[in-house]
Amino acid sequence: MTNISRRNLLKASAAGAAGVAAAGVSAKALAKSNGKRVVIVGGGIGGATAAQYLKKMDSTIDVTIVEYNKDYYTCFMSNEVIGGNRDIESIHFTYEKLAAKGIKVVYDTVTDIDAKGQVVKTKGGKSLAYDRCIVSPGVDYKWEAIEGFTPEVAATTIPHAWKAGPQTKLLRKQLEEMKDGGTVVVVAPPNPFRCPPGPYERVSQIAAYLKENKPKSKIVVLDPKKKFSKFGLFMDGWKRHYGYGTDNSMITWINSENGGTVSAVDVASKTVTAAAGKFKGDVVNIIPPQKAGSIAFKAGLTNDSGWCPIDHKTFESTIHKNIHVVGDSSVAAPMPKSGYAANSQAKVCAAAVASLLNGTTMIEPSWVNTCYSVIAPGQDGISVAMVYKYEGGKIVKVKGSGGLTGAYDPELRKREVLYAHSWFENITADTFG
Amino acid sequence: MKKANLSLLASAVLAGSMVASSAAVAFDRGEMLANTCAGCHGPGGISHGPATPSIAGNSEAYFVESMEAYKSGERPSTIMTRIAKGYSTADFEAMAAYFAKQKYISAKQSTDASMAKIGEKLHDKYCEKCHTEAGKLAEDESGFLAGQWKPYLQYNLHDFAVSQDREMPKKMAKKLDALYKKHGQEGLDQLVEFYATK
C-alpha cells in the first residue's frame, strides 16, 4: 500500500469512482448493493469452511450461513464416542467463532431456494437474497429402502447414528447396557454414502469395547456390498485384534454375495431380515442407504442419481446457475464423501465464488482427501489419502499420489492413531474457527 | 470545508476498494495448495496437535527439501510420502513461499521442568551449533524444534537416532550418535521436553 504507482493509483481511482457516488447516498445502501452477498445453506463441514474462507479471501463479501442446529456434532470421531474412548463434548461445535469473524449466522431451516429470484427462504419466514448461494446439506436417508425403519425408530430404538449427536449417545448407552454374550447387528449401507470406511471403523471400535468389557459378545455385519474402503487393512486388523477368520471371531461379516443385503427390520424383536435370513440383535445399528440432503431435492439441484451434479472447477450446479453445491451432496467423484473432501471442496468453491464476485480469474484448483480410521484404540491407526487436480473439465486423481497405509508396523500404526487425533483437532479448527 | 470532507471520504472509499480488490487478488496458487494442508496441519500451518507438526514460518529451503525427501521416500513417514507424490517441485516452492510468510506459534503443551533443564544442557552441548536458539530460527534452514509438538519431536529423534531410518548431515549424525550412546532414550526425552518448553 505504501508504494502505489501513479498508474495504479489512477486505475484504482477510476474503479473507486462508483463507490464514492454510492457512499454519498448511504453506507447501508453501499453494503446492500455491492453485489457480493453469499448465502450458505447448511453449517456442516462444507458450509462452515466455505463461510470462513470466503471471509478470509475477501472480507467485503457479505456472508450469511443458515443452519437449523445451534449445536453441531462431527460425524468423524463419533465412532470413538460409541466405543467409549471419547467424550461426546469433544466433538461438539458451535458457530460463535464464525459470528465473531463477521459471518451472519441464522439459526433456521431452509424451506426453499428460488434459483431464478436468487432468494433463500426459511421456515422462520426470512427471505435471504443472494448473488451466489452455496448449498452444503450433507446426506439424507432413503427411509423407504428398509421396511420398518423410520426416523422415529432411529431416534428411539434402532439408531443410525450416522449424523452425530443424540443417536450417538443412544447407541453408546445401548452398548453399555448390553449383557456380556449379546449380539450387535450392524447394517452397512450401499455405495455411495458418507464416510466410506466409517461403518468398519465403527465395527472396530465396538469390537474393542466388547473385547475389553464383554468378551463373550459378537458383532454381525450385514453388508449389501462385496467389498469396502480400506478392505485389506480392516480385514488384517480384525484378524490381529478381534480373531477375525477364526472359530472364535468376534466379528462376522456377511457381504452381498452371502446374503448381507437387508430389506426389513422388526423393531419390537430387534430382528433384521437380510437375504441370508433373520438376524436378531441385542443392539441393532442400521446405517441406511443415502441420498443428497432434502433441501437439494426441494431446490431441484439433484439428478436421477439422487445427488447434485456440479461443475468440477467451481462447484456451481449444472442445473441452476449461481448455486454451488459442496460436500456429501455433490457429485465430485473421484473424491469420496468425506469430511476432509467437504473441507477441501469448500475452499476451492470459496475461491471460485470470490473470483466470480470480483470478476477475477480463478486460481487453478487443488484438492486433498485424507481419512483416518482407528482399528484398535491407541494402537492401530490406518489412513487413505489422495491428491486431486483439475484436468479436462474434471477432478482427477494425481497419478502416483495417495493410497493406503502400508504393511503392519506397530510403531507407525501407533503414530497414525495420534495423527488421526491431530487430523481431528486441525480440521475442526479449520472449519469452525 | 465541504470539499475537504468529500476528498477525505473519497480517499477512504478508495482505500476500502483497494483493500477489497487486493484481498481477492492476493490469493495465489501457493495459498490454494497450502489450503489443502490445513485439515491436518492447522489453519495457517499452526497445528492444534497432539502430534502433527506446525509448518508455519519455516524456511522455504527446508520446506522444499522436506517435501522432496518425503516424495522420494528418503524421509520415512506414515502419510507424507503418499501426499508429497501429488506435487511438483514448483508446487512445493509455491507452498513453501506461503508457509514461510505465516507466523509460527509454539504449541501449548505440558512439559516436565526438571527434564527440560537437563535437556537444555544436552541441547547446548550437542545441537545448539546448528539449531540456534533452540531451533526456532528459519535462517538455520532446518525444521522448527522450539515449541513443536512433543510426539512429532519424539518420532523424528527416534527415526534419526534409534532406528536410524533417516539420513542426516554427517556432523549431525556424529553429534546425535554421541548423545544417544551416552544418554540413551532418556537423553532424547529430555531434549524433547526442553524444545517443548520454548
Side-chain angles (χ1 to χ4, degrees):
Chain A
M1 282 304 289
T2 48
N3 281 324
I4 307 169
S5 74
R6 192 179 146 74
R7 216 178 66 166
N8 281 342
L9 188 66
L10 282 171
K11 260 204 285 192
S13 301
V20 176
V25 183
S26 84
K28 204 178 168 190
L30 178 71
K32 273 196 175 174
S33 64
N34 80 347
K36 295 205 248 182
R37 295 162 305 179
V38 178
V39 176
I40 299 171
V41 179
I45 304 305
T49 304
Q52 291 217 70
Y53 275 77
L54 271 173
K55 264 289 172 205
K56 194 181 163 203
M57 288 168 187
D58 179 356
S59 59
T60 67
I61 297 177
D62 180 8
V63 183
T64 303
I65 188 165
V66 192
E67 164 61 45
Y68 71 93
N69 218 332
K70 283 190 176 174
D71 299 283
Y72 185 84
Y73 292 86
T74 60
C75 200
F76 44 77
M77 289 298 163
S78 66
N79 285 333
E80 289 198 342
V81 177
I82 290 163
N85 297 302
R86 176 178 285 276
D87 190 288
I88 194 155
E89 269 313 298
S90 72
I91 61 166
H92 176 201
F93 297 89
T94 60
Y95 299 94
E96 277 129 37
K97 288 176 185 166
L98 266 69
K101 290 179 181 173
I103 295 157
K104 293 169 188 160
V105 183
V106 175
Y107 299 108
D108 207 337
T109 302
V110 173
T111 50
D112 199 11
I113 303 169
D114 175 0
K116 269 194 183 158
Q118 294 183 221
V119 177
V120 167
K121 290 176 179 161
T122 73
K123 201 175 174 180
K126 285 196 172 69
S127 287
L128 305 163
Y130 64 80
D131 297 293
R132 292 272 161 183
C133 179
I134 301 175
V135 181
S136 183
V139 296
D140 199 356
Y141 307 105
K142 295 180 179 172
W143 294 103
E144 70 285 359
I146 297 171
E147 198 191 323
F149 193 53
T150 65
E152 294 70 35
V153 168
T156 56
T157 325
I158 297 173
H160 57 67
W162 213 238
K163 286 180 188 174
Q167 290 194 25
T168 311
K169 286 192 215 171
L170 177 61
L171 183 54
R172 174 66 198 155
K173 187 167 165 269
Q174 290 177 342
L175 289 167
E176 282 175 337
E177 288 169 359
M178 189 181 85
K179 64 179 188 295
D180 188 9
T183 300
V184 179
V185 175
V186 177
V187 177
N191 291 324
F193 63 97
R194 161 182 285 180
C195 192
Y200 313 97
E201 183 194 50
R202 175 172 291 181
V203 168
S204 309
Q205 288 281 334
I206 293 173
Y209 167 70
L210 296 176
K211 185 181 172 182
E212 190 71 26
N213 299 282
K214 294 159 190 178
K216 284 183 265 174
S217 308
K218 300 285 180 200
I219 305 170
V220 177
V221 190
L222 298 167
D223 205 325
K225 304 182 292 297
K226 264 202 259 184
K227 278 178 119 183
F228 51 80
S229 170
K230 303 177 184 166
F231 186 77
L233 289 168
F234 273 112
M235 288 290 145
D236 177 55
W238 288 357
K239 279 177 196 158
R240 185 176 312 114
H241 304 290
Y242 311 116
Y244 190 73
T246 67
D247 291 343
N248 201 26
S249 177
M250 179 166 267
I251 303 165
T252 304
W253 177 64
I254 302 173
N255 72 3
S256 57
E257 290 177 320
N258 294 300
T261 306
V262 168
S263 57
V265 60
D266 180 65
V267 178
S269 65
K270 289 199 174 175
T271 302
V272 173
T273 303
K278 290 186 188 299
F279 296 85
K280 186 175 159 48
D282 296 281
V283 174
V284 179
N285 171 217
I286 297 178
I287 306 163
Q290 293 161 32
K291 58 183 179 181
S294 61
I295 189 62
F297 284 87
K298 275 187 199 162
L301 293 164
T302 52
N303 63 13
D304 290 345
S305 72
W307 306 96
C308 305
I310 48 152
D311 177 278
H312 274 187
K313 187 175 183 183
T314 62
F315 287 78
E316 186 168 9
S317 166
T318 54
I319 300 173
H320 288 305
K321 275 192 168 172
N322 304 317
I323 302 179
H324 302 247
V325 185
V326 296
D328 295 342
S329 274
S330 68
V331 182
M335 294 190 80
K337 298 187 186 304
S338 74
Y340 205 100
N343 173 273
S344 189
Q345 290 164 8
K347 292 173 198 173
V348 169
C349 180
V353 168
S355 293
L356 287 162
L357 292 175
N358 286 297
T360 55
T361 309
M362 186 188 168
I363 302 287
E364 186 194 339
S366 175
W367 302 265
V368 164
N369 178 59
T370 57
C371 287
Y372 283 94
S373 306
V374 179
I375 304 178
Q379 293 177 55
D380 200 343
I382 57 171
S383 59
V384 65
M386 187 57 66
V387 182
Y388 303 89
K389 63 178 175 178
Y390 183 72
E391 195 176 81
K394 292 193 77 174
I395 299 171
V396 296
K397 295 176 179 178
V398 176
K399 222 176 157 187
S401 78
L404 296 158
T405 295
Y408 183 67
D409 175 322
E411 166 71 20
L412 294 186
R413 292 296 179 92
K414 266 187 202 165
R415 290 184 189 181
E416 290 225 64
V417 175
L418 273 197
Y419 285 141
H421 292 160
S422 304
W423 177 103
F424 172 77
E425 296 298 335
N426 284 309
I427 194 173
T428 53
D430 193 41
T431 303
F432 296 104
Chain B
M1 196 62 203
K2 229 178 184 179
K3 208 172 181 182
N5 269 346
L6 187 67
S7 80
L8 205 74
L9 179 67
S11 60
V13 171
L14 179 64
S17 84
M18 286 193 63
V19 167
S21 67
S22 73
V25 170
F27 183 79
D28 62 9
R29 174 77 175 156
E31 190 164 351
M32 171 66 85
L33 293 166
N35 278 348
T36 67
C37 311
C40 291
H41 289 277
I46 298 298
S47 173
H48 291 236
T52 308
S54 290
I55 53 175
N58 279 306
S59 82
E60 295 183 45
Y62 169 74
F63 188 97
V64 173
E65 186 191 302
S66 288
M67 292 301 282
E68 296 285 11
Y70 280 132
K71 190 176 179 178
S72 69
E74 187 190 306
R75 180 168 174 179
S77 73
T78 54
I79 199 168
M80 279 312 298
T81 289
R82 290 176 268 158
I83 302 273
K85 282 178 178 166
Y87 303 100
S88 65
T89 301
D91 290 338
F92 293 153
E93 286 167 355
M95 287 185 231
Y98 172 82
F99 283 116
K101 278 184 279 183
Q102 309 305 310
K103 192 176 183 289
Y104 181 81
I105 301 166
S106 288
K108 289 185 187 79
Q109 56 193 328
S110 65
T111 49
D112 183 316
S114 61
M115 281 175 79
K117 212 174 162 187
I118 307 167
E120 182 168 11
K121 285 187 183 136
L122 294 174
H123 167 81
D124 288 345
K125 189 172 175 192
Y126 295 98
C127 319
E128 170 69 22
K129 219 171 175 183
C130 296
H131 298 276
T132 40
E133 295 186 28
K136 63 173 178 186
L137 292 184
E139 301 91 278
D140 285 343
E141 301 200 340
S142 94
F144 284 174
L145 306 175
Q148 198 55 273
W149 289 100
K150 287 200 283 187
Y152 174 75
L153 294 169
Q154 284 156 2
Y155 299 160
N156 282 277
L157 279 170
H158 179 91
D159 294 347
F160 277 131
V162 185
S163 64
Q164 299 188 351
D165 288 337
R166 190 171 159 192
E167 274 190 44
M168 52 187 146
K170 263 188 191 158
K171 267 187 198 166
M172 179 175 167
K174 211 174 143 192
K175 290 277 190 182
L176 195 52
D177 197 44
L179 184 153
Y180 186 58
K181 275 199 179 121
K182 191 160 181 202
H183 303 277
Q185 184 61 44
E186 201 183 7
L188 300 181
D189 292 343
Q190 288 157 342
L191 208 50
V192 166
E193 291 297 325
F194 166 64
Y195 294 132
T197 58
K198 300 308 278 183

